[in-house]
Amino acid sequence: MSEACERTVGSAKPQLDTALTRLVGVRHPVVQTGMGWVAGPRLVGAVAEAGGLGILASATMSYPELAAAIKETRERTAAPFGVNLRADATDAADRVELLIKERVAVASFALAPRAEMIARLKDAGVVVIPSVGAARHAEKVAAWGADAVIVQGGEGGGHTGGVATTLLLPSVVDAVDIPVIAAGGFFDGRGLAAALAYGAAGVAMGTRFLLTRESTVPDAVKRRYLESKLDGTVVTTRVDGLPHRVLRTELVDGLERAGKVRGLARAVANAARFRGLTGLSWPALIREGLAMRHGRDLSWAQVLMAANTPMLLRAGLVGGRTDAGVLASGQVVGMLDDLPSCAELITGVVDQAVEILARLAATTAVEHR
């Protein structure tokens, strides 16, 4: 049997013991990513109770909402969980102090946190796990003291890169000496076994956890996801100027077809529609869009779309507007046709991976006789 498979004392089934489970103190090397508008206390609590690492999405929460979400998650589970932070948020330092005060186990980041932010969290005993899209980014945050990294291949949903997980993952594993968590294209035990074979310490899944019974995404939207095929997603820069993998919807198709003038008109209309939900003034909305440019040369349409992208996501993932919202999704959506509970999902993934690893180990032993 693989070295990753060890029988837990008093348990009837072997479990997967990896650098991730030891680092964070969870039972299973399975992570639920911090998806905006999706990863709230109900989903995160269910994942934690099932033995995985659930991560709250704080980028779409105000500071008081994050504090309340941490409290509610604590009421749902005593197991470790994490919070995803936006390193460039104006109140990022305050949120870091909140995680420390509330003794949150893990801080994850979509953008690389500053070295001093990593140091502050680590000094307080918080495990720091940034997400990266290239080996050089992993090397940088590892040098700054990050405890582990999540590496997402181009198959993943939301903001993503162009390199497939099968190439990106081994390049990062070879580059750093800290645990690497694989994301992008994972949904079952075969993927977990493959990731471990590549040298990863576990897998992170977003779309698969979005399509669970504990996910608060409206049922009609879940059905829209389940109807999608392997070619049902598209990587577009028309949403906010960054490569963004989303479901093909009427809104996204319209953005893809629109020229500059029409694109600007559509962006203004969308900004006006969703501005009321945020309470932001037009100047504040534009400032938010400019802040999200990340050094890229964006059109004014893209600046406006960048500013209200969270609200476009909210329209679909909370409001159920498949016609007017953006639905972030990994390509894996084309492989999914059910809505398991988080416990059923995690148990099934781990059991299948253990079986595969044991079978491969037995095959190797036979061949060497």
Side-chain angles (χ1 to χ4, degrees), residues 14-336:
Q15 300 296 321
L16 293 170
D17 176 49
T18 75
L20 172 62
T21 60
R22 295 190 294 271
L23 174 66
V24 181
V26 293
R27 297 197 307 276
H28 305 305
V30 177
V31 178
Q32 161 255 305
T33 60
M35 299 166 282
W37 305 116
V38 178
R42 190 170 98 177
L43 180 60
V44 172
V47 170
E49 282 293 281
L53 175 62
I55 298 178
L56 285 169
S58 79
T60 51
M61 299 178 186
S62 65
Y63 180 94
E65 288 171 338
L66 175 58
I70 292 173
K71 179 180 179 182
E72 182 181 342
T73 305
R74 283 250 184 268
E75 293 170 350
R76 290 175 177 270
T77 182
F81 64 92
V83 171
N84 181 261
L85 299 173
R86 186 171 147 181
D88 61 346
T90 56
D91 61 351
D94 293 335
R95 292 177 184 240
V96 164
E97 294 305 317
L98 176 63
L99 265 61
I100 293 170
K101 175 186 174 183
E102 296 296 332
R103 299 183 180 277
V104 173
V106 173
S108 76
F109 293 87
L111 297 174
R114 299 183 301 277
E116 56 268 27
M117 189 176 290
I118 294 176
R120 174 65 183 129
L121 287 161
K122 285 177 62 69
D123 287 347
V126 180
V127 174
V128 179
I129 308 180
S131 294
V132 298
R136 67 181 185 277
H137 300 153
E139 291 172 331
K140 179 172 68 175
V141 295
W144 289 349
D147 296 290
V149 291
I150 295 175
V151 54
Q152 177 178 302
E155 302 94 325
H159 291 126
T160 194
V163 180
T165 302
T166 50
L167 299 174
L168 185 60
L169 175 58
S171 75
V172 174
V173 168
D174 290 346
V176 297
D177 293 325
I178 58 177
V180 177
I181 303 159
F186 296 99
F187 65 100
D188 64 3
R190 294 173 296 181
L192 175 55
L196 295 175
Y198 271 111
V203 296
M205 302 185 294
T207 305
R208 176 65 279 193
F209 277 109
L210 183 152
L211 293 171
T212 57
R213 292 203 291 273
E214 290 90 350
S215 164
T216 56
V217 172
D219 289 343
V221 177
K222 289 180 180 178
R223 286 195 296 272
R224 175 66 180 79
Y225 273 89
L226 292 174
E227 292 168 356
S228 297
K229 306 302 181 184
L230 281 173
D231 61 354
T233 67
V234 61
V235 176
T236 179
T237 59
R238 293 300 185 93
V239 174
D240 59 7
L242 303 175
H244 206 138
R245 186 177 292 282
V246 297
L247 288 186
R248 295 179 183 274
T249 63
E250 178 183 339
L251 172 63
V252 172
D253 286 344
L255 291 173
E256 286 287 290
R257 292 192 303 266
K260 289 185 177 180
V261 174
R262 185 179 171 194
L264 178 58
R266 184 183 287 267
V268 171
N270 282 324
R273 183 182 307 160
F274 296 113
R275 190 173 63 90
L277 292 173
T278 64
L280 290 174
S281 65
W282 280 108
L285 192 69
I286 292 172
R287 284 197 300 272
E288 177 73 4
L290 291 171
M292 295 177 69
R293 292 174 71 173
H294 303 303
R296 289 172 171 81
D297 184 20
L298 303 188
S299 68
W300 279 109
Q302 288 170 323
V303 167
L304 286 171
M305 292 297 285
N308 69 60
T309 292
M311 303 314 298
L312 291 172
L313 290 166
R314 183 183 187 277
L317 298 174
V318 178
R321 295 290 305 276
T322 57
D323 59 331
V326 171
L327 301 173
S329 175
Q331 283 183 305
V332 72
V333 70
M335 298 293 293
L336 306 180

Side-chain angles (χ1 to χ4, degrees), residues 343-354:
E344 290 168 345
L345 172 59
I346 293 174
T347 298
V349 167
V350 172
D351 286 353
Q352 186 183 24
V354 167

